[in-house]
Amino acid sequence: MRKATNEHISAPMSRIVNIFLCCFLVIPAAARADDLLGQTIKGFRYPAYDEQGQLKMELSGDTARILPDNLIQIGNLRMTFYEEGKTVMRVATPSCVYDREKQTAVSTSDVRVTRAEIIISGQGFDWNEKDKLVRIKNNSRVILQKKQPQPYLSLEAGEDFNIPEADTNNTVITAKRLAFDQKKSTAVFEGKVVVADPDLKIESDRLTVSFSNDKKVELIEAEGNVVITRDTIKAVARKASYAIAEGKVTLAGNPCVNRQKDYLAADTIVLWRDSNRILCEPQAHLIIHSEQDAAGPFKNN
C-alpha cells in the first residue's frame, strides 16, 4: 500500500484525505489496520459533533502521522471549540500526540490558548475532552483582557507562540502550572504565582480565577504565602480574595498590613482598590510609628 505522504495534494484529494482521517479517528480501536501505521497525511481537518449534531470541536493540522496504540502525531495542531455554533476557544501548538480512543492530546511544545476573556501561553500541555480540562505544565502566562479583545488569534506555521507584552490596562498572571476547567469556568494556577494588575500586585502559592457566565473575570482567590502590594502598602496573609467588580480585597489567616513603618493586624482585613479605605474586624491591632494621624488609610471602621 502506497504511503500517503502526498507532497503535492490536489483539492479533491485533500477532501478524500480528510474523510479518510475522520474515519480513522472514529473507528473502534480493535478495528484499526496495521498497514496504516507510519503513514503521514498532510493538511487535514477533523470535526467532532455532539449528540444533537452540532459542531463542538475541530482538529486540524499540517501533518498527521499514524502511530501504534491509537495515537496520532500531529504537526502544527489547531483545536477549535464551539458552543451553539460559535467559536469559544482555540488551542494551538507546533506538535502534539492525540489519543483517538481516550480523546486526549499531550504536548511538550509551546502552546497558546485563546478565549474572549483570556489568552494563555506556556510550555507543554495536556487536554481531556471528557473533563473539558486544559493543563499548562510549565511557565504559564495569562492575560486577562479588560478591553474588547481582538478577534480570535490564529497562528501560522513558524509564528512565535509567546504572548506579546500586555496592555497596561490588562491583568497578567504568571505561574509554573495552570489548569483551565471549561466546565467550571475556572483557572487554577500553582507554583510562584504572580498577579500583575494595574492597581496592585498579588503573590501566592496557589491562585483560582473564576469567570462569570458572560466570560468576565469575577473573583480571584489566593492561598499560601499571600503578599499583596499596592503603592506603599504591603499586606500579608494565608488567604486572600479579590472581587474584581467591587475592587475589594479580603485578607484572612493572620493578616497584617504594613505602610512604611506603620503596622496593622486583625482577624480579617478588607482593602478597597480605588480608595485608601481599610476595614478591620474584629480585634484590630494598630501600631503607628510615623507622625501621621490614625484617621488616614489605616482607619479602623
Side-chain angles (χ1 to χ4, degrees):
M1 182 176 178
R2 183 179 178 183
K3 293 185 177 181
T5 52
N6 299 328
E7 293 294 339
H8 303 285
I9 190 166
S10 64
M13 187 60 185
S14 177
R15 288 194 291 270
I16 294 174
V17 167
N18 288 334
I19 295 172
F20 164 78
L21 184 63
C22 290
C23 292
F24 177 78
L25 285 166
V26 297
I27 59 175
R32 70 179 185 272
D34 290 339
D35 59 359
L36 297 178
L37 298 180
Q39 292 197 57
T40 299
I41 300 167
K42 293 194 174 182
F44 77 92
R45 57 182 292 273
Y46 163 57
Y49 299 88
D50 60 21
E51 295 178 354
Q52 287 72 41
Q54 287 193 330
L55 183 64
K56 65 176 182 178
M57 182 190 70
E58 183 178 79
L59 273 71
S60 63
D62 292 348
T63 60
R65 181 176 175 80
I66 312 305
L67 304 176
D69 301 322
N70 306 309
L71 302 179
I72 303 175
Q73 177 76 47
I74 300 177
N76 207 24
L77 171 72
R78 301 292 182 270
M79 300 174 66
T80 306
F81 299 86
Y82 301 88
E83 290 180 4
E84 299 179 350
K86 297 181 180 180
T87 302
V88 295
M89 186 172 76
R90 281 183 174 155
V91 179
T93 184
S95 177
C96 89
V97 174
Y98 176 73
D99 189 318
R100 65 184 179 89
E101 182 178 16
K102 297 179 180 178
Q103 289 191 297
T104 60
V106 178
S107 174
T108 58
S109 302
D110 292 339
V111 62
R112 180 185 288 184
V113 180
T114 60
R115 285 176 60 102
E117 79 287 5
I118 188 171
I119 305 175
I120 304 170
S121 72
Q123 285 81 47
F125 86 102
D126 61 71
W127 164 79
N128 186 308
E129 164 63 16
K130 179 181 178 181
D131 299 329
K132 305 293 184 184
L133 188 65
V134 178
R135 293 188 180 91
I136 307 298
K137 299 177 180 178
N138 292 291
N139 300 325
S140 300
R141 185 168 185 263
V142 173
I143 295 177
L144 303 178
Q145 302 185 97
K146 295 182 179 179
K147 291 184 175 180
Q148 184 68 27
Q150 297 178 357
Y152 283 93
L153 303 179
S154 60
L155 296 177
E156 302 298 332
E159 188 175 343
D160 189 2
F161 276 73
N162 294 320
I163 295 177
E165 289 301 318
D167 188 295
T168 55
N169 290 312
N170 293 326
T171 299
V172 180
I173 305 176
T174 56
K176 184 176 181 181
R177 298 176 299 276
L178 164 64
F180 182 75
D181 191 320
Q182 292 175 261
K183 287 183 178 180
K184 297 180 180 179
S185 292
T186 60
V188 179
F189 301 81
E190 294 181 310
K192 297 182 179 179
V193 185
V194 178
V195 180
D197 186 86
D199 299 303
L200 53 81
K201 179 181 179 181
I202 303 174
E203 301 171 82
S204 64
D205 297 332
R206 178 184 171 92
L207 188 89
T208 301
V209 178
S210 300
F211 299 92
S212 60
N213 292 333
D214 58 356
K215 311 298 184 184
K216 294 181 180 180
V217 180
E218 192 171 48
L219 182 66
I220 295 178
E221 298 174 287
E223 301 175 73
N225 299 308
V226 179
V227 179
I228 300 177
T229 307
R230 179 178 181 270
D231 298 327
T232 61
I233 296 176
K234 181 179 180 180
V236 177
R238 288 200 299 267
K239 294 182 179 181
S241 64
Y242 179 21
I244 302 296
E246 300 175 76
K248 183 175 74 173
V249 178
T250 302
L251 306 173
N254 296 324
C256 66
V257 177
N258 289 277
R259 189 194 60 181
Q260 298 177 353
K261 294 182 179 182
D262 299 342
Y263 174 86
L264 174 64
D267 292 347
T268 302
I269 300 176
V270 182
L271 305 90
W272 278 264
R273 178 190 60 208
D274 299 325
S275 70
N276 285 327
R277 184 186 176 203
I278 298 178
L279 173 64
C280 306
E281 54 183 9
Q283 300 178 357
H285 179 67
L286 173 64
I287 299 176
I288 298 179
H289 290 281
S290 66
E291 296 178 355
Q292 301 177 50
D293 185 77
F298 281 168
K299 183 179 179 181
N300 184 15
N301 295 311

